[in-house]
Amino acid sequence: MTYTHDQIAAAIDHAILKPDFTRAAVDAELDIAAQWGVFSVCVRPSDIPHAVERLAGTGVAVGTVIGFPHGTTSTATKVAEVRQALADGASELDMVLNIGWLLSGMDSEVEADIRAVVAAADGHIVKVIFETSYLDDDAIVRACRASEAAGADFVKTSTGFAGGGATVEHIRLMRANVGETVQVKASGGVRSLDTAVAMLDAGATRLGTSASATILAEARAVDEGAAATGAVDDSSY
């Protein structure tokens, strides 16, 4: 498929999650998100109020992470994080499922953990991070089923902090094992236009990346090149 620059931008959650980011570094990343018109930023919980204020009027949504990056905090702690994040102005929540529970075959506990976060989110978007680099295909399928049963809006590959990241094969597997109402987010290693397009073609509808400027500059160059040659009426990648 082909995608315009604007279509790709509308699929990007710009990640601003590095633990060593200073306030100046966070501001630089927020400005990149606004400049390129991405769908949202995903910031550290403590940065939510500042991000909401700085991005006011830009149309860029502010999301955050829950139980990040290991997923091992208690369900009660995740619920408390959700409530604080929403109070601070976050509109989307990317939670890490309890990876150890999943690998132990404790699927009902994994589902209950997700369900509690979904309930606390009170209608806000919840994306469930699997950390696919730790999982075999069977575990990924079980995570898909638990997430959908718990009412999650998205299933997501990775935190970006565990080595490995999104693969086309995993995106296809996740897409095949959730219903039409559940979307798929590719995150981890999405750093070029070619990779972004491959993930979208495989079934992802959202891309988590810190390389938004690189990806969108490539997309814009393709658009401009196509427009200059008159190859297409509506230039796209």
Side-chain angles (χ1 to χ4, degrees):
M1 293 180 61
T2 57
Y3 305 91
T4 65
H5 166 279
D6 289 350
Q7 286 173 325
I8 295 172
I12 289 179
D13 293 342
H14 184 63
I16 311 175
L17 296 167
K18 291 182 179 179
D20 59 339
F21 269 163
T22 62
R23 177 53 59 87
V26 169
D27 284 349
E29 296 296 323
L30 293 171
D31 292 347
I32 286 170
Q35 175 189 347
W36 288 98
V38 300
F39 181 83
S40 77
V41 293
C42 189
V43 300
R44 302 172 301 194
S46 58
D47 293 325
I48 297 168
H50 179 70
V52 169
E53 180 179 6
R54 192 172 183 92
L55 291 173
T58 66
V60 178
V62 176
T64 194
V65 287
I66 304 296
F68 195 84
H70 302 303
T72 53
T73 48
S74 68
T75 299
T77 299
K78 289 177 180 176
V79 167
E81 286 185 273
V82 169
R83 290 173 176 159
Q84 186 63 55
L86 296 180
D88 287 340
S91 59
E92 297 194 348
L93 307 160
D94 291 33
M95 70 163 289
V96 187
L97 61 69
N98 192 308
I99 301 161
W101 284 357
L102 183 70
L103 291 173
S104 300
M106 299 167 60
D107 295 17
S108 60
E109 289 84 354
V110 170
E111 180 182 331
D113 188 54
I114 299 167
R115 188 182 299 278
V117 168
V118 170
D122 194 26
H124 291 80
I125 294 292
V126 174
K127 311 181 197 108
V128 181
I129 307 171
F130 292 0
E131 208 67 280
T132 49
S133 61
Y134 291 148
L135 308 178
D136 61 17
D137 286 358
D138 174 70
I140 291 170
V141 170
R142 290 189 290 109
C144 284
R145 291 172 180 166
S147 299
E148 183 167 18
D153 301 285
F154 279 80
V155 291
K156 175 180 171 181
T157 54
S158 316
T159 64
F161 288 86
T167 67
V168 165
E169 293 74 19
H170 284 160
I171 295 298
R172 288 176 177 158
L173 180 65
M174 292 161 72
R175 180 65 271 161
N177 284 280
V178 291
E180 293 181 1
T181 61
V182 181
Q183 299 181 63
V184 180
K185 177 174 174 179
S187 184
V190 182
R191 305 195 60 81
S192 70
L193 180 59
D194 284 344
T195 303
V197 168
M199 297 300 167
L200 294 171
D201 281 347
T205 53
R206 202 76 72 84
L207 307 169
T209 181
S210 59
S212 305
T214 298
I215 293 168
L216 292 171
E218 290 183 63
R220 180 172 290 173
V222 171
D223 280 6
E224 290 172 351
T229 61
V232 291
D233 294 330
D234 181 15
S235 57
S236 57
Y237 185 84

